[in-house]
Amino acid sequence: MYPKDVKRLNIPYLPLNVQQEIADILDSFTGLIESLEREIDVTRTLYAVKRDQIIQETLREYGATHFPDVAKFSIGLSYRKDQEVERDGVEEYKGIPVLRANNIELASNSLKFEDIVRIKKDTDLKEGKILRKDDILVCAGSGSKNHIGKVAYSYEDTEYVIGGFMGVVRTTDKILPRFMFHILTSKLFRDFLDDEIEATTINHISIKLINRFQVPLPSLDVQEQIVEELDSLFNALEDKEEELKLRKKQYSYTLDRLFDFPRFN
């Protein structure tokens, strides 16, 4: 925007008391939003500290086992650019939705179903490429080192295909999926990836690489106790983040309504 563009703006003139009323209404929303953002920061820190402390204590007390003993890692579906379909097509022709690295929120370790790529319905889908309940989706390849290894948990069966630069962790009956999820969000796994990637200078998680990871493995009863404790914090964090999204939508709606003045010359 240039100064000449600002000069063309028509700013409605309102009495000062009306301006103050509008400012008070909007300030009440921004106050709630800022308060929620602070709460989220505190809760996220509490979760991270507690999680890393518990994982390290578990490792020291119960030892670890090789990743392949408790889980399997598979790479997602590779597809060609010409297999993509238009995103704004008619519903029945939209094709198969594909999850990519951008569909995992780094800060919250959660899935976001926005900016979805779709591929042709006649694409050959190999077994195990659909995201299912209790799957842990992993970013296996990215131009950004920080995004390598970010994870999200699938709480239900989906229709989404796991993309080629993604991977999926599926656990055996020796380890709870939620326990594995918390391990993969922890500093233990992050440090492991940093060391491995720095040694190979390749920003990619391969099956061979992740199979070298040592997974803390207490009994299932202990895993359940840990999951219950960590999930209480993680779920509280998710609830606050959902509330924040709602408050921001309310603010935008209210802002638009308050300033929806008739056009004038």
Side-chain angles (χ1 to χ4, degrees), residues 9-27:
L9 288 176
N10 288 320
I11 300 176
Y13 174 77
L14 299 172
L16 289 177
N17 65 314
V18 176
Q19 294 180 35
Q20 187 61 57
E21 288 179 15
I22 292 175
D24 289 344
I25 292 171
L26 295 177
D27 282 350

PDB file of all heavy atoms in Angstrom, residues 9-27:
ATOM      1  N   LEU A   9      -8.930   6.253   0.841  1.00  0.00           N
ATOM      2  CA  LEU A   9      -9.773   5.566   1.812  1.00  0.00           C
ATOM      3  C   LEU A   9     -10.852   6.495   2.358  1.00  0.00           C
ATOM      4  O   LEU A   9     -10.585   7.653   2.693  1.00  0.00           O
ATOM      5  CB  LEU A   9      -8.926   5.045   2.981  1.00  0.00           C
ATOM      6  CG  LEU A   9      -8.008   3.862   2.698  1.00  0.00           C
ATOM      7  CD1 LEU A   9      -7.180   3.555   3.941  1.00  0.00           C
ATOM      8  CD2 LEU A   9      -8.800   2.629   2.287  1.00  0.00           C
ATOM      9  N   ASN A  10     -12.065   5.982   2.425  1.00  0.00           N
ATOM     10  CA  ASN A  10     -13.165   6.724   3.031  1.00  0.00           C
ATOM     11  C   ASN A  10     -13.349   6.240   4.464  1.00  0.00           C
ATOM     12  O   ASN A  10     -13.741   5.091   4.695  1.00  0.00           O
ATOM     13  CB  ASN A  10     -14.463   6.509   2.246  1.00  0.00           C
ATOM     14  CG  ASN A  10     -14.437   7.229   0.908  1.00  0.00           C
ATOM     15  OD1 ASN A  10     -13.959   8.345   0.813  1.00  0.00           O
ATOM     16  ND2 ASN A  10     -14.962   6.570  -0.128  1.00  0.00           N
ATOM     17  N   ILE A  11     -13.032   7.086   5.418  1.00  0.00           N
ATOM     18  CA  ILE A  11     -13.138   6.713   6.822  1.00  0.00           C
ATOM     19  C   ILE A  11     -14.395   7.349   7.401  1.00  0.00           C
ATOM     20  O   ILE A  11     -14.536   8.583   7.397  1.00  0.00           O
ATOM     21  CB  ILE A  11     -11.898   7.170   7.610  1.00  0.00           C
ATOM     22  CG1 ILE A  11     -10.648   6.519   7.013  1.00  0.00           C
ATOM     23  CG2 ILE A  11     -12.036   6.822   9.092  1.00  0.00           C
ATOM     24  CD1 ILE A  11      -9.357   6.977   7.649  1.00  0.00           C
ATOM     25  N   PRO A  12     -15.334   6.532   7.879  1.00  0.00           N
ATOM     26  CA  PRO A  12     -16.580   7.093   8.417  1.00  0.00           C
ATOM     27  C   PRO A  12     -16.314   7.927   9.679  1.00  0.00           C
ATOM     28  O   PRO A  12     -15.468   7.575  10.495  1.00  0.00           O
ATOM     29  CB  PRO A  12     -17.411   5.856   8.747  1.00  0.00           C
ATOM     30  CG  PRO A  12     -16.423   4.756   8.900  1.00  0.00           C
ATOM     31  CD  PRO A  12     -15.313   5.062   7.964  1.00  0.00           C
ATOM     32  N   TYR A  13     -17.026   9.035   9.783  1.00  0.00           N
ATOM     33  CA  TYR A  13     -16.895   9.877  10.968  1.00  0.00           C
ATOM     34  C   TYR A  13     -17.940   9.452  11.984  1.00  0.00           C
ATOM     35  O   TYR A  13     -19.137   9.408  11.694  1.00  0.00           O
ATOM     36  CB  TYR A  13     -17.079  11.350  10.601  1.00  0.00           C
ATOM     37  CG  TYR A  13     -17.098  12.244  11.816  1.00  0.00           C
ATOM     38  CD1 TYR A  13     -15.912  12.583  12.469  1.00  0.00           C
ATOM     39  CD2 TYR A  13     -18.303  12.718  12.317  1.00  0.00           C
ATOM     40  CE1 TYR A  13     -15.923  13.382  13.596  1.00  0.00           C
ATOM     41  CE2 TYR A  13     -18.327  13.521  13.449  1.00  0.00           C
ATOM     42  CZ  TYR A  13     -17.137  13.846  14.091  1.00  0.00           C
ATOM     43  OH  TYR A  13     -17.157  14.622  15.216  1.00  0.00           O
ATOM     44  N   LEU A  14     -17.500   9.120  13.188  1.00  0.00           N
ATOM     45  CA  LEU A  14     -18.404   8.686  14.246  1.00  0.00           C
ATOM     46  C   LEU A  14     -18.208   9.563  15.471  1.00  0.00           C
ATOM     47  O   LEU A  14     -17.083   9.996  15.765  1.00  0.00           O
ATOM     48  CB  LEU A  14     -18.130   7.231  14.626  1.00  0.00           C
ATOM     49  CG  LEU A  14     -18.305   6.181  13.532  1.00  0.00           C
ATOM     50  CD1 LEU A  14     -17.809   4.823  14.027  1.00  0.00           C
ATOM     51  CD2 LEU A  14     -19.753   6.094  13.103  1.00  0.00           C
ATOM     52  N   PRO A  15     -19.268   9.802  16.205  1.00  0.00           N
ATOM     53  CA  PRO A  15     -19.117  10.543  17.466  1.00  0.00           C
ATOM     54  C   PRO A  15     -18.140   9.824  18.391  1.00  0.00           C
ATOM     55  O   PRO A  15     -18.014   8.602  18.347  1.00  0.00           O
ATOM     56  CB  PRO A  15     -20.540  10.537  18.048  1.00  0.00           C
ATOM     57  CG  PRO A  15     -21.426  10.316  16.869  1.00  0.00           C
ATOM     58  CD  PRO A  15     -20.657   9.452  15.921  1.00  0.00           C
ATOM     59  N   LEU A  16     -17.449  10.568  19.229  1.00  0.00           N
ATOM     60  CA  LEU A  16     -16.433   9.976  20.089  1.00  0.00           C
ATOM     61  C   LEU A  16     -16.994   8.908  21.012  1.00  0.00           C
ATOM     62  O   LEU A  16     -16.334   7.908  21.295  1.00  0.00           O
ATOM     63  CB  LEU A  16     -15.754  11.089  20.913  1.00  0.00           C
ATOM     64  CG  LEU A  16     -14.833  12.026  20.129  1.00  0.00           C
ATOM     65  CD1 LEU A  16     -14.295  13.122  21.037  1.00  0.00           C
ATOM     66  CD2 LEU A  16     -13.676  11.246  19.520  1.00  0.00           C
ATOM     67  N   ASN A  17     -18.225   9.108  21.498  1.00  0.00           N
ATOM     68  CA  ASN A  17     -18.801   8.104  22.404  1.00  0.00           C
ATOM     69  C   ASN A  17     -19.057   6.784  21.685  1.00  0.00           C
ATOM     70  O   ASN A  17     -18.898   5.702  22.256  1.00  0.00           O
ATOM     71  CB  ASN A  17     -20.080   8.634  23.044  1.00  0.00           C
ATOM     72  CG  ASN A  17     -21.192   8.860  22.024  1.00  0.00           C
ATOM     73  OD1 ASN A  17     -20.960   9.444  20.963  1.00  0.00           O
ATOM     74  ND2 ASN A  17     -22.398   8.415  22.350  1.00  0.00           N
ATOM     75  N   VAL A  18     -19.419   6.844  20.389  1.00  0.00           N
ATOM     76  CA  VAL A  18     -19.629   5.627  19.597  1.00  0.00           C
ATOM     77  C   VAL A  18     -18.285   4.956  19.315  1.00  0.00           C
ATOM     78  O   VAL A  18     -18.154   3.724  19.385  1.00  0.00           O
ATOM     79  CB  VAL A  18     -20.356   5.949  18.280  1.00  0.00           C
ATOM     80  CG1 VAL A  18     -20.471   4.689  17.411  1.00  0.00           C
ATOM     81  CG2 VAL A  18     -21.730   6.519  18.558  1.00  0.00           C
ATOM     82  N   GLN A  19     -17.287   5.772  18.996  1.00  0.00           N
ATOM     83  CA  GLN A  19     -15.941   5.218  18.801  1.00  0.00           C
ATOM     84  C   GLN A  19     -15.476   4.468  20.045  1.00  0.00           C
ATOM     85  O   GLN A  19     -14.899   3.377  19.958  1.00  0.00           O
ATOM     86  CB  GLN A  19     -14.950   6.348  18.490  1.00  0.00           C
ATOM     87  CG  GLN A  19     -15.178   7.057  17.169  1.00  0.00           C
ATOM     88  CD  GLN A  19     -14.158   8.153  16.941  1.00  0.00           C
ATOM     89  OE1 GLN A  19     -12.989   8.023  17.325  1.00  0.00           O
ATOM     90  NE2 GLN A  19     -14.589   9.260  16.311  1.00  0.00           N
ATOM     91  N   GLN A  20     -15.748   5.065  21.222  1.00  0.00           N
ATOM     92  CA  GLN A  20     -15.322   4.437  22.468  1.00  0.00           C
ATOM     93  C   GLN A  20     -16.046   3.117  22.709  1.00  0.00           C
ATOM     94  O   GLN A  20     -15.447   2.120  23.155  1.00  0.00           O
ATOM     95  CB  GLN A  20     -15.579   5.385  23.643  1.00  0.00           C
ATOM     96  CG  GLN A  20     -15.011   4.884  24.976  1.00  0.00           C
ATOM     97  CD  GLN A  20     -13.510   4.720  24.927  1.00  0.00           C
ATOM     98  OE1 GLN A  20     -12.791   5.668  24.635  1.00  0.00           O
ATOM     99  NE2 GLN A  20     -13.011   3.514  25.202  1.00  0.00           N
ATOM    100  N   GLU A  21     -17.326   3.078  22.402  1.00  0.00           N
ATOM    101  CA  GLU A  21     -18.110   1.846  22.572  1.00  0.00           C
ATOM    102  C   GLU A  21     -17.561   0.729  21.678  1.00  0.00           C
ATOM    103  O   GLU A  21     -17.417  -0.415  22.108  1.00  0.00           O
ATOM    104  CB  GLU A  21     -19.580   2.105  22.241  1.00  0.00           C
ATOM    105  CG  GLU A  21     -20.313   2.930  23.284  1.00  0.00           C
ATOM    106  CD  GLU A  21     -21.760   3.169  22.904  1.00  0.00           C
ATOM    107  OE1 GLU A  21     -22.260   2.466  21.980  1.00  0.00           O
ATOM    108  OE2 GLU A  21     -22.394   4.057  23.495  1.00  0.00           O
ATOM    109  N   ILE A  22     -17.249   1.081  20.434  1.00  0.00           N
ATOM    110  CA  ILE A  22     -16.693   0.101  19.496  1.00  0.00           C
ATOM    111  C   ILE A  22     -15.324  -0.379  19.986  1.00  0.00           C
ATOM    112  O   ILE A  22     -15.031  -1.580  19.969  1.00  0.00           O
ATOM    113  CB  ILE A  22     -16.583   0.699  18.081  1.00  0.00           C
ATOM    114  CG1 ILE A  22     -17.977   0.932  17.497  1.00  0.00           C
ATOM    115  CG2 ILE A  22     -15.763  -0.220  17.163  1.00  0.00           C
ATOM    116  CD1 ILE A  22     -17.971   1.632  16.153  1.00  0.00           C
ATOM    117  N   ALA A  23     -14.490   0.557  20.429  1.00  0.00           N
ATOM    118  CA  ALA A  23     -13.166   0.190  20.928  1.00  0.00           C
ATOM    119  C   ALA A  23     -13.269  -0.732  22.133  1.00  0.00           C
ATOM    120  O   ALA A  23     -12.508  -1.699  22.257  1.00  0.00           O
ATOM    121  CB  ALA A  23     -12.373   1.448  21.288  1.00  0.00           C
ATOM    122  N   ASP A  24     -14.232  -0.456  23.026  1.00  0.00           N
ATOM    123  CA  ASP A  24     -14.407  -1.289  24.223  1.00  0.00           C
ATOM    124  C   ASP A  24     -14.818  -2.713  23.853  1.00  0.00           C
ATOM    125  O   ASP A  24     -14.334  -3.686  24.446  1.00  0.00           O
ATOM    126  CB  ASP A  24     -15.462  -0.668  25.151  1.00  0.00           C
ATOM    127  CG  ASP A  24     -14.969   0.608  25.823  1.00  0.00           C
ATOM    128  OD1 ASP A  24     -13.751   0.835  25.822  1.00  0.00           O
ATOM    129  OD2 ASP A  24     -15.822   1.374  26.333  1.00  0.00           O
ATOM    130  N   ILE A  25     -15.718  -2.822  22.888  1.00  0.00           N
ATOM    131  CA  ILE A  25     -16.174  -4.147  22.451  1.00  0.00           C
ATOM    132  C   ILE A  25     -15.011  -4.952  21.869  1.00  0.00           C
ATOM    133  O   ILE A  25     -14.786  -6.112  22.224  1.00  0.00           O
ATOM    134  CB  ILE A  25     -17.301  -4.017  21.408  1.00  0.00           C
ATOM    135  CG1 ILE A  25     -18.563  -3.452  22.068  1.00  0.00           C
ATOM    136  CG2 ILE A  25     -17.607  -5.384  20.768  1.00  0.00           C
ATOM    137  CD1 ILE A  25     -19.657  -3.083  21.076  1.00  0.00           C
ATOM    138  N   LEU A  26     -14.252  -4.313  20.988  1.00  0.00           N
ATOM    139  CA  LEU A  26     -13.131  -5.008  20.350  1.00  0.00           C
ATOM    140  C   LEU A  26     -12.009  -5.296  21.334  1.00  0.00           C
ATOM    141  O   LEU A  26     -11.369  -6.350  21.268  1.00  0.00           O
ATOM    142  CB  LEU A  26     -12.612  -4.188  19.167  1.00  0.00           C
ATOM    143  CG  LEU A  26     -13.599  -4.020  18.007  1.00  0.00           C
ATOM    144  CD1 LEU A  26     -13.013  -3.126  16.927  1.00  0.00           C
ATOM    145  CD2 LEU A  26     -13.988  -5.376  17.423  1.00  0.00           C
ATOM    146  N   ASP A  27     -11.791  -4.369  22.261  1.00  0.00           N
ATOM    147  CA  ASP A  27     -10.754  -4.591  23.277  1.00  0.00           C
ATOM    148  C   ASP A  27     -11.088  -5.775  24.176  1.00  0.00           C
ATOM    149  O   ASP A  27     -10.184  -6.484  24.649  1.00  0.00           O
ATOM    150  CB  ASP A  27     -10.568  -3.336  24.140  1.00  0.00           C
ATOM    151  CG  ASP A  27      -9.749  -2.255  23.450  1.00  0.00           C
ATOM    152  OD1 ASP A  27      -9.170  -2.565  22.383  1.00  0.00           O
ATOM    153  OD2 ASP A  27      -9.696  -1.126  23.956  1.00  0.00           O
TER     154      ASP A  27
END
